[in-house]
Amino acid sequence: MQPKDFGFGEDEKLLRDSARKFLEDALPIDKLRTLVAPDHVEAYESDTQPVYYDESIWKQIVELGWTTLAVPEEAGGAGMKMVAVASLAEEAGRAALPSPLISTLVSTCVLREAKSDGASAALGRIAAGEAATMAMTNATGSWEADDTDVVAEGAGDGVKLSGTACFVQDARKASFFVVAARGDAGVGLYCVDADAPGVEILPDQIVDLTRDQARVRFDGVAVGADAVAATAGSGADAIRAATPAMLVIIAADLCGAAEWQLQTTAEYARVRTQFDHPLGFFQAVKHPIVNMMIDIDRARSLVYGAACDIDTGEGNPQLSARMAKSAAADAAAFACGRSVQLHGGIGFTWECDLHIYFKRQKHNQALYGDAIYQRAKIGELL
Amino acid sequence: MAKKDTPEQAEFREYCRNWLKDNKPGPPPSRLPELAIEVSDEAHREYLCAWQKKCYEAGLVACDYPSEYGGGGHQGFQRIASQELSRAGTPFLINVIGLGMAAPTILHHGTEEQKRQYLKPLFSADEIWCQGFSEPGAGSDLASAQTSAVRDGDNWILNGHKVWTSLATFAKWMILLARHSKEDKYKGLTYFIAPIEGAKGVTVRPLIKITGGTGFNEVLFEDVVISDDMRLDEVGKGWTVAMTTLTHERGAAEGAGGGGGGGVDDRIESLIALAKKTPRGSGTAWDDPVIRDRIVQIAIRAAGLRQTARRGRVEGLIDHPMRLPLQGKVVMTELMQDAAAIGLEIEGAAGSLYVRDDNAPDEGEWPLSYLNSYGMTIAAGTSEIQRNILGERVLGMAKSK
């Protein structure tokens, strides 16, 4: 029997509430705007796009232990439940937090599934405060676990990695990459320091201001045996096994940000007056805002249901997590469109905060497979 | 935190489970309608009244009402009995308007005599109740009701026209919203209990739905005389009392238990089954990625409904106490409507075949339930009214009036 409350008890609530409080204090909306959208020319016309991120906030986050949450206790982490991780990701989304937190949590979930000495060592590094990110996506942006363009040559005591991983999240914030690379026996997972010889980070010019993204080129990068997290052939399985957790984390981030979009738009509809009435008086405004809420609540419920499936090992996490991601991506898409449209002219400007969330949402919608992709996968399971 | 059963509740749950296992009723005389409010067949009425009475006598109905009015005198037992009734998949309780709307209203606003007179036979289904709120000119704008109540000594004389009254053909009583004064839209309303069955001046006529079937009625009052002791609460308090009733309306849909019509999950399963058996091109409708995507969207909404029901009881995951409860009706009814619409589309040309056609897939269920679904998105506050309520009460936006 699954817990009726998703296993979301006092401990989880305390953690979530303290995370919300911390982010409200550390990164209020004015500070976020100054941090990630200081100047449109700098953001979008620099030869190399800046990384907008406050390292002091990140250091505090690490000290608060957020990055160790998903690390098992035996690897030096807190070993918290997925429902707790989801609630944290939700708060990160609500604050549109620019940080490698999500990337590190996702990498943690993959390493957890790899179950090897190398993976344990990497989890230990995360527990000690290092940021990690997955380098697993190919040039076409495929989210299939074994579609990598990076090749691993050799075996036994170590391998050499060559090729380029694309769409690597927070590449310029992470201290190491978890690289999916194909060898003769299949895809393995290899931990590579961001500053290792032969690693070149080629930053993308992206829309989202709360992240950085890059292609990472590996030119004969030597990986020692102790840095092999999953041997050739078992890496794709680890990614597949971790997929529900990855999807839950992103879906939770989407829900948190969508809730911010909802509350911000509802507030505007309460205070902005036209035709002698607050905007919310008009049903053409009121009803879409309510629809935003309905979509968010559906997605949020599915997120916690899927997280609980992962925690209990019951149910079907591959199904429920894809449902959560699909619902969250659709809720976010709708919230994006309506938040800008219902704000009218001001919503279309750089000075309004909405675009920061709009862009993060668009980015997250696509990450690890958009809604249509998830539904195609679900269709195969029904 | 989700509510955990106390030892007494756990014991009661065990009792309910055992009782339901041993007392599962035989099959109904013919296929029951989807919902209790659609019952219009006399044989169904007899079957369902017998079932509710049996449940009442076993202590599964009115568990939390005071024992002096015929209830079980417990606290927190009805939730358990309703869950177990639902889990057992037994037929629904027919006196759904009585249990869900009339009883809580009488308990809250009735006199001692009224509580003693009306509640027990309501619980046992010896007396069926219906509701008289809507009128031809008062739908979403309920407070514009025009049915008149004119004081005549110790009596009131009722004249007017109520519509969409489910169960009225079987009803002994109606909870009635009537106008004693035209001076104030809201304060001019008073709430009554009106006799229906056999009452002089009362005419009940079935209304025919777009499906061609019946299931609800209109009720005409022509100089119907009732005594003042059938008034609920004070003169002029009708709107306040009506709000009590409407607060419980959702409970009427959910709390009555039973699985007679099958739920959302059954609907999704039959939708997938329909797609898998319906030829389309060189394969089936299920092989069509566009159709499959739409079905999966519906399946996700259904799963969301299930998880939202679960989340609604987890204090740490709720932002506003009414946010999830007030969504229930609009989300559920629109989901069922969209599911039926897709079913109908999957059938293609065969969707033209209605219930009497031998070649109709699934006995014509899909066109029938699509037509019927509009009853659900309109009744008990249209989807538009539901969205007004959500926007105003949960998100604090200005009243659209």
Side-chain angles (χ1 to χ4, degrees), chain A residues 2-10 13 16 20 87 90 94 259 262-263 265-266 269-270 278 280-283 285-287 289-291 293-298 300-302 304-306 308-309 322-324 326-327 330 371-372 374-376 378-380 382, chain B residues 1-5 13 79 83 272 276 286 292-297 299-319 323-324 327 330-331 334 383-392 394-401:
Chain A
Q2 286 206 346
K4 286 194 180 122
D5 64 353
F6 308 101
F8 194 86
E10 276 305 321
K13 186 173 183 298
R16 194 269 321 272
R20 185 177 301 181
S87 74
E90 210 182 335
R94 189 191 307 271
E259 181 70 22
L262 165 69
Q263 295 301 341
T265 309
R270 288 192 291 268
F281 167 86
F282 302 102
Q283 287 166 323
V285 174
K286 177 182 281 169
H287 289 188
I289 295 176
V290 169
N291 288 341
M293 175 170 75
I294 290 173
D295 286 1
I296 291 166
D297 278 320
R298 171 186 307 125
R300 193 167 179 227
S301 302
L302 287 166
Y304 285 94
C308 184
D309 280 353
R322 290 191 191 284
M323 286 188 164
S326 170
D330 282 347
I372 293 173
Q374 302 303 341
R375 289 199 294 271
I378 293 164
E380 293 164 15
L382 289 179
Chain B
M1 305 309 100
K3 285 180 193 152
K4 285 223 171 68
D5 288 353
R13 188 183 291 282
R79 175 177 65 88
Q83 282 170 356
I272 294 171
K276 285 182 175 173
W286 183 247
R292 203 196 297 193
D293 187 72
R294 293 183 59 188
I295 296 172
V296 172
Q297 285 188 43
I300 292 171
R301 284 163 65 185
L305 202 62
R306 207 162 49 234
Q307 296 301 340
T308 291
R310 187 177 174 191
R311 182 160 68 87
R313 289 191 280 271
V314 185
E315 202 188 299
L317 296 174
I318 300 170
D319 310 293
R323 179 163 162 170
L324 297 181
Q327 287 178 34
V330 62
V331 169
E334 292 188 346
S383 297
E384 290 69 28
I385 290 292
Q386 301 296 331
R387 286 188 168 85
N388 281 355
I389 292 171
L390 281 160
E392 290 155 19
V394 179
L395 295 171
M397 288 186 274
K399 268 182 86 69
S400 295
K401 201 75 182 173

Side-chain angles (χ1 to χ4, degrees), chain A residues 315-329:
Chain A
N316 185 348
Q318 292 284 352
L319 178 71
S320 56
R322 290 191 191 284
M323 286 188 164
K325 174 72 207 286
S326 170

Side-chain angles (χ1 to χ4, degrees), chain A residues 100-120:
Chain A
L101 176 66
I102 298 295
S103 297
T104 303
L105 291 173
V106 163
S107 307
T108 303
C109 292
V110 174
L111 290 167
R112 225 166 44 177
E113 296 295 339
K115 297 185 175 65
S116 68
D117 290 346
S120 296

Side-chain angles (χ1 to χ4, degrees), chain A residues 75-228:
Chain A
M80 289 282 282
K81 287 182 280 198
M82 204 59 214
V83 288
V85 177
S87 74
L88 196 71
E90 210 182 335
E91 296 310 318
R94 189 191 307 271
L97 174 70
S99 85
L101 176 66
I102 298 295
S103 297
T104 303
L105 291 173
V106 163
S107 307
T108 303
C109 292
V110 174
L111 290 167
R112 225 166 44 177
E113 296 295 339
K115 297 185 175 65
S116 68
D117 290 346
S120 296
L123 287 167
R125 292 177 68 178
I126 291 172
E130 289 189 54
T133 189
M134 296 302 300
M136 61 176 192
T137 311
N138 68 10
T140 69
S142 164
W143 304 109
E144 298 299 327
D146 39 18
D147 280 355
T148 173
D149 289 341
V150 182
V151 173
E153 282 177 290
D157 285 348
V159 298
K160 273 195 174 1
L161 302 182
S162 302
T164 303
C166 298
F167 308 106
V168 178
Q169 304 305 305
D170 302 304
R172 284 183 281 165
K173 304 186 195 95
S175 42
F176 69 96
F177 302 114
V178 181
V179 186
R182 182 184 314 284
D184 291 340
V187 172
L189 295 174
Y190 307 94
C191 299
V192 176
D193 287 353
D195 56 4
V199 174
E200 192 181 1
I201 298 172
L202 306 160
D204 293 338
Q205 297 269 4
I206 64 172
V207 182
D208 184 7
L209 300 164
T210 67
R211 271 203 179 72
D212 76 275
Q213 181 180 281
R215 282 167 295 142
V216 180
R217 193 149 66 202
F218 302 92
D219 186 10
V221 176
V223 179
D226 56 346
V228 178

